[in-house]
Amino acid sequence: MHITNMNILFIGLGNIGLRHFESICDSKKQYNCYLVDPNIQSIKKKINQFNYIHKIELSKNINLKEKKYEYAIISTNSNYRKKIIFSLIDKFKIKNLLIEKIPFNNIVDYKSAIKKINNNRLNCFINYPRNYMSAYIDLKKKLFKKKPIILEVYGSDWSIQIKKNETF
């Protein structure tokens, strides 16, 4: 019997994407890992800190030869996610999609992505556990009281730009 390795696609290998890759490295099973990030040199340095037994392919973009993936893990900035998801669905056969953090910045993107995901019968999961952590639940309760919020921030050179008369 011929057993093929499972293909896993990682889009974005910042802190969270790297943690997903690290968990795969700890597995005794062998996987074919396809790592996509615009900074190849950074990826090479990051993944060399792990002991892995898997086939690894690095790419700056999603123009990959492999066309079928059991899992695709997207750990990118939400500004690019809709475009990435649509490109993945159009180019590849993906069974399971994991999206990190808040997936999109607006409701229109949610609606069109949900439609595209459902039309392609893709299993999609969003990893955003903070909504269920007690500290965040308590913060939400405090923020949604009718009292004004006073916020003081100390520091310098954070490259934060606030428009005149902007409120939070």
Side-chain angles (χ1 to χ4, degrees):
M1 181 168 78
H2 179 67
I3 299 174
T4 59
N5 292 348
M6 186 183 311
N7 294 329
I8 302 175
L9 176 59
F10 298 83
I11 308 288
L13 273 105
N15 292 330
I16 295 173
L18 193 62
R19 295 287 79 83
H20 285 290
F21 177 72
E22 180 181 18
S23 68
I24 294 297
C25 290
D26 290 340
S27 174
K28 301 292 183 228
K29 295 180 182 179
Q30 288 193 351
Y31 298 101
N32 299 323
C33 298
Y34 298 83
L35 312 177
V36 178
D37 194 285
N39 191 341
I40 295 285
Q41 294 307 318
S42 175
I43 294 175
K44 285 180 182 178
K45 288 177 186 174
K46 289 177 181 180
I47 67 171
N48 283 336
Q49 65 185 318
F50 303 115
N51 294 320
Y52 53 86
I53 57 174
H54 315 289
K55 175 188 167 195
I56 305 293
E57 184 176 314
L58 304 174
S59 179
K60 287 184 177 185
N61 55 50
I62 61 171
N63 295 328
L64 303 167
K65 291 178 186 174
E66 182 60 48
K67 298 299 178 193
K68 291 184 180 181
Y69 298 92
E70 187 72 21
Y71 293 95
I73 301 168
I74 301 176
S75 303
T76 64
N77 183 305
S78 61
N79 294 338
Y80 308 106
R81 279 216 200 102
K82 180 182 169 194
K83 182 178 179 182
I84 291 169
I85 290 169
F86 278 52
S87 292
L88 290 178
I89 291 172
D90 291 341
K91 290 182 177 194
F92 307 115
K93 174 73 175 146
I94 298 170
K95 191 171 182 181
N96 301 287
L97 177 64
L98 174 65
I99 303 170
E100 280 298 335
K101 299 188 232 171
I102 297 173
F104 309 106
N105 294 325
N106 63 66
I107 196 71
V108 173
D109 287 350
Y110 274 98
K111 288 180 179 180
S112 62
I114 289 169
K115 184 177 179 180
K116 182 89 165 171
I117 288 165
N118 286 339
N119 287 345
N120 288 274
R121 296 191 170 124
L122 179 64
N123 296 318
C124 183
F125 306 91
I126 298 171
N127 187 28
Y128 190 66
R130 290 186 182 115
N131 288 350
Y132 303 102
M133 294 178 180
S134 60
Y136 284 87
I137 292 169
D138 293 342
L139 180 61
K140 181 179 178 182
K141 288 177 187 175
K142 290 176 183 177
L143 288 176
F144 286 103
K145 291 183 178 179
K146 297 285 181 184
K147 298 177 185 176
I149 299 171
I150 299 171
L151 176 67
E152 294 181 356
V153 180
Y154 299 93
S156 63
D157 197 24
W158 291 351
S159 299
I160 298 174
Q161 298 178 354
I162 300 175
K163 296 176 185 171
K164 189 174 183 178
N165 298 325
E166 185 174 16
T167 59
F168 295 92

